[in-house]
Amino acid sequence: MKEFQVNDCEDVLLSMRLIVDQLNDVIGKLDQEAIKGMLKKILEGERVFVMGAGRSGLVAKAFAMRLMHLGFTVYVVGETTTPAVREEDVVIAISGSGETRSIADLGKIVKDIGSPLITVTSKKESTLGRISDIAMVLPSKAKNDLDAGGYLERNMRGDYKNLPPLGTAFEITSLVFLDSVIAQLIMLTGASEAELKSRHTNIE
Amino acid sequence: MKEFQVNDCEDVLLSMRLIVDQLNDVIGKLDQEAIKGMLKKILEGERVFVMGAGRSGLVAKAFAMRLMHLGFTVYVVGETTTPAVREEDVVIAISGSGETRSIADLGKIVKDIGSPLITVTSKKESTLGRISDIAMVLPSKAKNDLDAGGYLERNMRGDYKNLPPLGTAFEITSLVFLDSVIAQLIMLTGASEAELKSRHTNIE
Amino acid sequence: MKEFQVNDCEDVLLSMRLIVDQLNDVIGKLDQEAIKGMLKKILEGERVFVMGAGRSGLVAKAFAMRLMHLGFTVYVVGETTTPAVREEDVVIAISGSGETRSIADLGKIVKDIGSPLITVTSKKESTLGRISDIAMVLPSKAKNDLDAGGYLERNMRGDYKNLPPLGTAFEITSLVFLDSVIAQLIMLTGASEAELKSRHTNIE
Amino acid sequence: MKEFQVNDCEDVLLSMRLIVDQLNDVIGKLDQEAIKGMLKKILEGERVFVMGAGRSGLVAKAFAMRLMHLGFTVYVVGETTTPAVREEDVVIAISGSGETRSIADLGKIVKDIGSPLITVTSKKESTLGRISDIAMVLPSKAKNDLDAGGYLERNMRGDYKNLPPLGTAFEITSLVFLDSVIAQLIMLTGASEAELKSRHTNIE
């Protein structure tokens, strides 16, 4: 793509500011009962399974890695040695739209098994939102939205509505939210950073 | 972990606010020449290769996926069909400490091949920072820091220094930064959201 | 599992012999028209996509890696930078039973897109077998069979029917078959081992 | 690659026969003491870790999946929730040449930790072979060999030495061998196919 000229990097900074604004916005809109319910289910589960497709799947993996550091028995759906889910486990799905087909199909299987299902999503009224025991709503633009939450309206450039693209806002919000769930779990369990580090892979 | 009681979720909200504060802080400290250099190298590269270990590797994948949506030929080091790197390609490493051993080893190989190497890191003075053509510094706490950037000092609770743990601050900052690099590349290349969506996988 | 005593390793050798017998058996039962059809479709496709779940997915990846070494543009469904499938591409599914739900669902999407679909399977009369342009049948025990192809009947120990377990026979057969497809493609395209090696990743 | 014409598929069948011949050859050359030692170490290990690069890494994953089905606690090095290796665990490396740099580096770390290291390889006298507690030698052509084991000499076409290419012979041999180790472990532990199936993922 050598034909394009780089004159400045203003949009990088602008985009970062918009993302920060949107994160700020979301903090005030979170349902605290849902958060507490989610924390309880995670602590009660025998084992934790996480799943997501595409970039939401990467967020799910980032969350799973920290749960492992915290001492949870945790698996990523689709990885090599992930065993069968049982009723006493808890499953966490990440899907901005709540409609990602493969994840929604797996969500239904989870409910047939009888395990608790938590979905982190931007849409309560979605296939996954509706079948979940807890729909943890992060109000942010998902992949198929034209514009969500109104935060883009504050975009200074009227001609430019799509910054950042697709489900980016949801993905970043869910990573920040889930890392903050980790922070809360650290407080609850009294884990020290040294303990977390001792579980961090020593062969990478 | 059924023995732990969930009474509130204040730490979730507190942690989200700290993350937002830290992101805000970083925006003002970015080296704009480095950003422009990075954008140029990405646009000039025949193909883009990304690499990272652990959660930084997940951030690398999230960035690669969006570059693909934008029409770049892009590969994740370690995935199945990733070919050999050639001199005319560009390689982007993500490493908070700049010292992740496997990534630093690969960085040296990249420089032996003669390809440009960009490292996104919190440490300019690190193994990867020193050998890179561009060290894109995101000033944030990395995995082995006790406290970085001073932002934790503003933590309202004096007794609580570790929020969020390990390299979380760097990982979130790098995701937000790289998604904003995507926003800039969208502006530069004039790509529309519809075009991005047309490249998004249709079999997931 | 410290309670178990290792006295000999006869079953390792016996199992290897059974696998070799079964492979020998399969060679004589392959439909050569299907093989030629498969080779043509692979050579005609603009790009090749492979998919499979579990161990069949690992076989799919092993095949994709070699196609890349041979110079094909090839993607694994589910990996980070895999783009949207288009009509002019070819998709290869690997499923012993031909019924793996997620893969069968994707197979239907592939047919809706209009791309040629090849399924490597042990069951012609299966969901995937029926919707595929080419059902490449490898007659071998799949995961849900009690005993397939009769080869286990020749097992010397009457009391021991399950060697090797689940879909192992199919998975090994499909790897051996697909590596032999690679051998044929090398002959057809005149690729040298040196050329293959030049495409082999140089940063692993 | 539309320019190539498919007239027959003889090389597919020839290659399959060569692979079968080579497998037959290897069975007679295995060191049974090494196999028994390997079985003991796997049974004694608190947890099992497997690792390999490229196609050897895929074989490692296929083995790990079956160990999980058998009830072992098993992890793939590099996957999301793989914890730190401890002295009481056992690590299995797969490397045809015994020289794969990243795996050899990790092998050294494993020996520093003090865990038993088993390497499945075609070269006893290699970096990994030498540092391993057990070097399980599968005499077969590895990636950097011109010709190994002499089996290719029996190739009927004198002009064609490279069938199958690169490390294919080793990779297939190691999969067949490791699946046969699984067969032995099933006999030893008395696991039934139904038990294996009950651990097979129910959400794929």
Side-chain angles (χ1 to χ4, degrees):
Chain A
M1 300 210 175
K2 299 177 178 63
E3 67 269 34
F4 299 106
Q5 278 247 309
V6 178
N7 296 314
D8 62 64
C9 60
E10 274 175 41
D11 286 298
V12 175
L13 305 180
L14 171 61
S15 165
M16 291 184 82
R17 275 188 214 105
L18 283 170
I19 292 169
V20 166
D21 278 2
Q22 203 251 347
L23 284 169
N24 244 330
D25 239 47
V26 170
I27 300 172
K29 294 179 180 166
L30 295 174
D31 174 351
Q32 301 198 21
E33 289 309 308
I35 301 177
K36 281 190 271 178
M38 180 174 174
L39 287 162
K40 275 180 204 158
K41 291 245 177 282
I42 291 173
L43 288 161
E44 281 167 18
E46 189 74 23
R47 305 175 299 178
V48 182
F49 288 71
V50 305
M51 59 186 188
R55 286 170 50 115
S56 291
L58 298 173
V59 171
K61 287 182 174 182
F63 183 50
M65 210 180 286
R66 277 289 182 266
L67 286 176
M68 179 270 285
H69 293 156
L70 259 167
F72 286 84
T73 302
V74 54
Y75 298 101
V76 177
V77 173
E79 290 207 336
T80 306
T81 58
T82 299
V85 172
R86 293 188 302 238
E87 213 178 327
E88 59 271 29
D89 301 321
V90 58
V91 181
I92 304 173
I94 304 186
S95 169
S97 65
E99 302 292 349
T100 317
R101 180 163 166 186
S102 57
I103 302 305
D105 284 350
L106 294 178
K108 286 169 205 163
I109 296 174
V110 167
K111 290 318 304 169
D112 287 344
I113 293 167
S115 327
L117 176 64
I118 300 169
T119 298
V120 178
T121 181
S122 69
K123 297 269 185 290
K124 199 180 187 75
E125 291 308 315
S126 60
T127 304
L128 275 160
R130 273 185 294 264
I131 65 172
S132 294
D133 297 82
I134 294 176
M136 184 64 237
V137 180
L138 306 178
S140 45
K141 179 176 178 286
K143 196 169 68 201
N144 298 311
D145 294 347
L146 288 180
D147 186 0
Y151 82 99
L152 284 175
E153 286 161 27
R154 291 171 317 185
N155 189 332
M156 297 79 108
R157 307 183 179 196
D159 59 349
Y160 189 41
K161 296 277 185 216
N162 265 332
L163 197 164
L166 303 170
T168 304
F170 171 75
E171 294 142 13
I172 290 173
T173 306
S174 58
L175 179 63
V176 169
F177 169 72
L178 291 168
D179 275 334
S180 299
V181 165
I182 294 291
Q184 178 85 60
L185 289 169
I186 289 174
M187 288 300 284
L188 276 167
T189 62
S192 72
E193 184 140 1
E195 284 175 90
L196 269 71
K197 217 179 248 182
S198 76
R199 295 196 193 90
H200 191 284
T201 183
N202 49 9
I203 45 170
E204 80 177 356
Chain B
M1 301 208 173
K2 299 176 177 68
E3 67 269 35
F4 300 106
Q5 278 247 309
V6 178
N7 297 312
D8 62 64
C9 61
E10 274 177 39
D11 286 297
V12 176
L13 306 181
L14 170 61
S15 166
M16 291 185 81
R17 277 189 213 104
L18 282 169
I19 292 169
V20 165
D21 278 3
Q22 203 250 350
L23 283 169
N24 242 332
D25 238 48
V26 169
I27 300 173
K29 293 178 178 166
L30 295 174
D31 175 351
Q32 301 198 22
E33 288 311 306
I35 301 177
K36 280 190 271 177
M38 180 175 173
L39 288 163
K40 275 181 204 156
K41 291 249 178 278
I42 291 173
L43 288 162
E44 281 166 18
E46 190 73 22
R47 303 175 299 178
V48 182
F49 289 70
V50 304
M51 59 185 187
R55 285 171 50 115
S56 292
L58 298 173
V59 171
K61 286 182 174 181
F63 184 50
M65 210 181 285
R66 278 287 183 266
L67 286 175
M68 179 270 283
H69 293 156
L70 260 168
F72 286 83
T73 303
V74 54
Y75 297 101
V76 177
V77 173
E79 290 208 336
T80 306
T81 58
T82 299
V85 172
R86 293 188 302 238
E87 214 178 327
E88 59 270 29
D89 301 323
V90 58
V91 181
I92 303 173
I94 305 186
S95 170
S97 66
E99 303 292 349
T100 316
R101 182 164 164 183
S102 58
I103 303 303
D105 284 351
L106 294 178
K108 286 170 205 163
I109 296 174
V110 167
K111 290 317 304 169
D112 287 345
I113 293 166
S115 327
L117 176 64
I118 300 168
T119 298
V120 178
T121 181
S122 69
K123 297 266 184 295
K124 199 182 186 76
E125 292 309 315
S126 60
T127 304
L128 275 161
R130 273 186 294 266
I131 65 172
S132 295
D133 298 81
I134 294 175
M136 183 66 236
V137 180
L138 306 179
S140 46
K141 178 173 179 285
K143 196 170 66 201
N144 298 311
D145 295 347
L146 287 180
D147 186 0
Y151 80 98
L152 285 176
E153 286 161 28
R154 292 171 314 185
N155 190 331
M156 297 78 111
R157 308 181 178 198
D159 58 349
Y160 188 41
K161 295 279 187 215
N162 265 333
L163 201 163
L166 301 170
T168 304
F170 172 74
E171 294 142 13
I172 291 174
T173 307
S174 58
L175 179 62
V176 169
F177 170 71
L178 290 169
D179 274 334
S180 299
V181 165
I182 294 292
Q184 178 85 59
L185 289 170
I186 289 174
M187 288 300 285
L188 277 167
T189 62
S192 71
E193 185 142 359
E195 283 174 273
L196 269 72
K197 218 178 250 182
S198 76
R199 294 195 194 89
H200 192 285
T201 183
N202 48 9
I203 46 171
E204 79 178 354
Chain C
M1 301 209 174
K2 297 174 179 69
E3 68 268 34
F4 299 106
Q5 277 247 308
V6 178
N7 297 314
D8 62 63
C9 60
E10 273 175 40
D11 286 299
V12 176
L13 306 180
L14 171 61
S15 166
M16 291 184 81
R17 277 189 213 104
L18 283 170
I19 292 170
V20 165
D21 277 3
Q22 203 251 349
L23 284 169
N24 241 331
D25 238 48
V26 170
I27 300 174
K29 293 179 178 164
L30 295 174
D31 175 351
Q32 300 198 23
E33 289 311 307
I35 302 177
K36 281 190 272 178
M38 180 175 173
L39 287 162
K40 275 181 205 156
K41 291 249 178 279
I42 292 173
L43 288 162
E44 281 167 18
E46 190 74 21
R47 304 175 299 178
V48 182
F49 288 70
V50 304
M51 59 185 188
R55 285 171 50 115
S56 292
L58 298 172
V59 171
K61 286 182 174 181
F63 184 50
M65 210 181 284
R66 278 289 182 266
L67 286 175
M68 178 270 283
H69 294 155
L70 260 167
F72 287 82
T73 302
V74 54
Y75 297 100
V76 177
V77 173
E79 290 207 335
T80 307
T81 58
T82 299
V85 172
R86 294 187 302 237
E87 213 178 326
E88 59 270 31
D89 300 322
V90 58
V91 181
I92 303 172
I94 304 186
S95 169
S97 66
E99 303 292 348
T100 317
R101 180 162 165 185
S102 57
I103 303 304
D105 284 351
L106 294 177
K108 285 169 205 163
I109 296 175
V110 167
K111 291 317 304 169
D112 287 345
I113 294 167
S115 326
L117 175 65
I118 300 168
T119 298
V120 179
T121 181
S122 69
K123 297 266 185 294
K124 199 182 186 78
E125 292 309 315
S126 60
T127 304
L128 275 161
R130 274 186 293 265
I131 64 173
S132 294
D133 297 82
I134 294 175
M136 183 66 236
V137 179
L138 306 178
S140 45
K141 178 174 178 283
K143 197 170 65 201
N144 298 312
D145 296 346
L146 286 180
D147 186 359
Y151 81 99
L152 284 176
E153 287 161 26
R154 291 170 317 184
N155 190 331
M156 297 78 110
R157 307 182 180 198
D159 58 351
Y160 188 40
K161 297 277 187 217
N162 265 333
L163 201 161
L166 303 171
T168 304
F170 172 74
E171 294 142 12
I172 290 173
T173 306
S174 58
L175 179 62
V176 169
F177 170 71
L178 291 168
D179 274 335
S180 299
V181 165
I182 294 293
Q184 178 85 59
L185 290 169
I186 289 173
M187 288 300 285
L188 277 167
T189 61
S192 72
E193 185 141 0
E195 283 174 90
L196 269 72
K197 217 177 251 181
S198 76
R199 293 194 195 92
H200 192 283
T201 182
N202 49 8
I203 45 172
E204 80 177 356
Chain D
M1 300 208 174
K2 300 177 178 64
E3 68 269 34
F4 299 106
Q5 278 248 308
V6 178
N7 297 314
D8 62 65
C9 61
E10 274 175 41
D11 286 298
V12 175
L13 306 180
L14 171 60
S15 166
M16 291 185 82
R17 277 189 213 104
L18 283 169
I19 291 169
V20 165
D21 278 3
Q22 203 251 349
L23 284 169
N24 243 330
D25 238 48
V26 169
I27 300 173
K29 293 179 180 164
L30 295 174
D31 175 351
Q32 300 197 23
E33 289 310 308
I35 302 176
K36 281 190 270 178
M38 180 174 174
L39 287 163
K40 275 179 205 157
K41 291 245 178 282
I42 291 172
L43 288 162
E44 282 166 19
E46 189 73 25
R47 303 176 300 177
V48 183
F49 288 71
V50 305
M51 60 185 187
R55 285 172 49 116
S56 291
L58 298 172
V59 171
K61 287 182 174 182
F63 184 50
M65 210 180 284
R66 277 289 182 266
L67 287 175
M68 179 271 283
H69 294 157
L70 260 167
F72 287 83
T73 302
V74 53
Y75 297 102
V76 177
V77 172
E79 290 207 337
T80 306
T81 58
T82 299
V85 173
R86 295 187 302 237
E87 215 177 325
E88 58 270 30
D89 301 322
V90 58
V91 181
I92 303 173
I94 304 186
S95 170
S97 66
E99 303 292 350
T100 316
R101 181 164 165 182
S102 57
I103 303 303
D105 284 351
L106 294 178
K108 285 169 204 161
I109 296 174
V110 168
K111 290 317 304 169
D112 288 345
I113 292 166
S115 327
L117 176 64
I118 300 169
T119 299
V120 179
T121 181
S122 70
K123 298 267 184 293
K124 199 180 186 77
E125 291 308 315
S126 60
T127 303
L128 275 160
R130 273 185 294 265
I131 65 172
S132 294
D133 298 82
I134 294 176
M136 183 65 237
V137 180
L138 306 179
S140 46
K141 179 175 179 285
K143 196 169 68 202
N144 298 310
D145 294 346
L146 287 179
D147 186 359
Y151 81 98
L152 285 175
E153 287 160 26
R154 291 172 316 184
N155 188 331
M156 296 79 109
R157 308 181 178 198
D159 57 350
Y160 189 44
K161 296 278 186 214
N162 265 332
L163 197 165
L166 303 170
T168 304
F170 172 74
E171 293 142 13
I172 290 173
T173 306
S174 58
L175 179 62
V176 169
F177 170 72
L178 291 168
D179 275 334
S180 299
V181 165
I182 293 292
Q184 178 84 62
L185 290 169
I186 289 173
M187 287 301 285
L188 278 166
T189 61
S192 72
E193 185 140 1
E195 283 174 90
L196 270 73
K197 217 178 247 182
S198 75
R199 295 195 193 90
H200 191 284
T201 183
N202 49 8
I203 46 171
E204 81 178 356

